[in-house]
Amino acid sequence: MVRPHDPAELDRAFLEKRRLHLRTGQADTFARLLPWSLINAQVTLTGLHNGRLRLVRSGKDLPYETVVGRNKAGQLFLKPAALQDQINQGLSLALNHLHHVSPRIAALIAAVERRYRVRGGANAYVSFQREGALGPHWDNHDVIILQISGEKHWRCHGFRATHPLVSRSYATLAEAGPVEWEDTLRPGDVLYIPRGDIHWATVAEGGHSAHLTINLGGLRAKDLLRTLAGRLEGSNDALREEVMAFADGAATRRQVAAQADLLRGALDQPDLPALFTQLDGEREAFQPMNLGLDRVLSDATEIHPAARAPGPAPSKLPADQRRVLAQLLATDGARLAALKQDLADMEGAAVAAAVAGLARAGQVWLLED
C-alpha cells in the first residue's frame, strides 16, 4: 500500500499516532481498487435504502425526495437527471462498507487487519465540485486515505481531545481552530490521520476527486478486560457466580471485591498473545467466492489471502496448500507467476493446483485485471 516507502514508516506513525503523508507513485494500482465501474454500480435506490450510499454536501444528507421519484405504477426510482443536477451543485457520494462489495478492497482490509490487529473497514468519497462530503471533523478511529482519482486539498487542525470515544463535526472553520497542516493529495498518495485529528478537504475548482478511506478500529482497555474476564470464567468459580443486585449491599461488595482481586491478579501477568488471538477471532471471517476463476488461472492472476488475523495456515489444509498460503500471507498476496518463482522448488502445476484448492476452500481471493 505504501511502497516504494518502507512500511515501517506507516507502522511508526500508527504507533505514535502521528499524521503521515506519503506519495507512492502507485496511481495505476490504486485505480484498480476503485474503478468508476464499481463507483457507478453503488449508485442505486437499494444503496440509498440500506445505507451503502449517502448523498451528502458539507456533512448534510440530501433530502431523499430530491433524487427519488415514483412512477405511475407507484414504484420508486432514482432520477438520474436530478442526481446529475445536484452533483453539479456540489453534491458528493459517500459509498459505505465497500469491503463487503469489492474483493480487491476486502483483500486490502484483511492485510491491514493482519498487520495492525484492528477491525478495519472501507468507505469511499466521490466529489465533483469544490465542496467535499464532510466539513471539519474528527473521527473516533484512525483513518488511512488513498487518493484514487483527481486531486483533493486536505487541511488538518490538530487535536482538541485525547482519545475521543465519539466523532465530532464543527459547524465553522473558526470552531476548528487554526490549520496545522495542509497539502494536496494526488492519485497514488496515502494520508494517515490519527483518531481525534480535525480534518476536512476540498476539490479544486472544476476538478473532481475519488478517495478510499480505510477505518482502523483499534482495541481499547474495555476490549481486553472483557476478553480477560471471559477467559477466566472457565477456571474460576467466583467469576462464574452471579452478581446479585437483590442481595445485601455488603455481601455484594464482598463478592465484587473477590472478583476484582482475581482480575487484578490476571492483569499483573496477562497472556497477551492469547488475548489478542481471541480478539482477532471475533472479526467475522471473509468468505471469498471464486466460482469459475479457479478453472481459468493464469500467471497474471492475483491471489490474496482472506485471513483477517496473523497466524499459520489452517492445519486442516493439505500440505501443499498450507505452504502456498503461508507464502501468500508472508507477502500479502502475489500474482501466480511471482508465487511460482517464490516457491521454485515446487512444480508450477502443483503451485497452481494448490491455489485452485485454496480458492475453492474460501481461503483466498482470485483477482483479474
Side-chain angles (χ1 to χ4, degrees):
M1 181 171 63
V2 300
R3 296 194 182 280
H5 300 277
D6 186 345
E9 287 190 60
L10 182 56
D11 295 347
R12 286 191 294 271
F14 176 75
L15 289 171
E16 297 166 8
K17 300 305 173 191
R18 169 177 49 82
R19 191 185 313 120
L20 178 67
H21 176 204
L22 298 172
R23 300 196 188 277
T24 73
Q26 295 191 76
D28 291 343
T29 300
F30 282 24
R32 288 199 295 273
L33 279 169
L34 189 65
W36 286 105
S37 57
L38 176 60
I39 292 171
N40 283 288
Q42 309 314 304
V43 185
T44 65
L45 186 62
T46 300
L48 271 179
H49 288 167
N50 63 23
R52 294 282 177 88
L53 169 66
R54 285 182 62 202
L55 305 177
V56 291
R57 185 175 181 179
S58 297
K60 296 181 179 178
D61 287 85
L62 185 74
Y64 179 81
E65 62 275 6
T66 307
V67 294
V68 175
R70 190 181 296 273
N71 63 22
K72 293 180 179 179
Q75 298 169 322
L76 296 173
F77 68 96
L78 198 60
K79 299 186 289 187
L83 181 59
Q84 289 285 353
D85 182 58
Q86 291 296 322
I87 284 172
N88 292 336
Q89 296 180 48
L91 184 73
S92 293
L93 312 178
L95 311 177
N96 298 323
H97 311 302
L98 286 177
H99 54 293
H100 293 311
V101 175
S102 163
R104 194 176 291 277
I105 292 174
L108 175 60
I109 294 302
V112 169
E113 289 179 330
R114 288 194 299 271
R115 189 172 188 88
Y116 295 118
R117 312 292 284 272
V118 297
R119 180 179 293 276
N123 304 326
Y125 299 89
V126 185
S127 303
F128 299 92
Q129 296 291 330
R130 181 170 177 77
E131 290 186 61
L134 305 173
H137 68 284
W138 75 48
D139 295 300
N140 64 347
H141 52 262
D142 298 354
V143 297
I144 301 174
I145 294 157
L146 310 182
Q147 187 65 28
I148 304 296
S149 179
E151 298 183 358
K152 206 163 195 178
H153 192 77
W154 287 82
R155 299 165 181 84
C156 293
H157 298 250
F159 298 87
R160 298 291 182 276
T162 303
H163 312 311
L165 296 177
V166 295
S167 300
R168 177 181 173 182
S169 298
Y170 290 85
T172 66
L173 293 179
E175 289 181 74
V179 173
E180 186 177 284
W181 172 91
E182 63 179 306
D183 206 344
T184 298
L185 265 61
R186 301 180 177 88
D189 282 11
V190 174
L191 175 61
Y192 167 71
I193 300 179
R195 162 189 175 195
D197 191 357
I198 301 170
H199 57 280
W200 61 291
T202 56
V203 180
E205 194 67 39
H208 77 279
S209 169
H211 76 264
L212 188 70
T213 295
I214 300 172
N215 306 314
L216 306 177
L219 299 174
R220 297 174 186 169
K222 66 176 184 179
D223 300 308
L224 291 175
L225 287 171
R226 170 179 54 81
T227 305
L228 179 61
R231 290 179 63 84
L232 290 173
E233 277 186 332
S235 57
N236 288 277
D237 294 343
L239 283 173
R240 291 197 301 273
E241 185 181 3
E242 296 178 37
V243 178
M244 301 293 288
F246 183 70
D248 172 75
T252 302
R253 283 192 290 274
R254 287 194 298 272
Q255 178 188 22
V256 171
Q259 293 174 334
D261 286 341
L262 289 169
L263 287 172
R264 275 193 291 269
L267 283 169
D268 285 340
Q269 292 183 318
D271 186 348
L272 290 176
L275 288 173
F276 287 133
T277 297
Q278 185 168 338
L279 286 162
D280 286 338
E282 293 180 0
R283 294 193 286 276
E284 182 182 357
F286 283 127
Q287 296 180 317
M289 288 295 171
N290 299 288
L291 301 180
L293 294 172
D294 59 311
R295 300 171 186 271
V296 291
L297 285 172
S298 73
D299 280 353
T301 300
E302 292 181 47
I303 310 112
H304 293 274
R308 302 183 75 170
S315 59
K316 64 182 180 181
L317 295 174
D320 278 1
Q321 291 182 22
R322 289 201 304 274
R323 186 172 178 207
V324 167
L325 183 55
Q327 177 61 33
L328 289 167
L329 287 167
T331 58
D332 285 328
R335 291 189 184 271
L336 182 56
L339 186 61
K340 290 176 179 177
Q341 290 179 349
D342 291 337
L343 301 171
D345 59 324
M346 290 180 65
E347 292 288 338
V351 174
V355 167
L358 290 169
R360 289 190 288 270
Q363 295 288 332
V364 298
W365 284 282
L366 302 180
L367 303 177
E368 298 177 320
D369 287 335

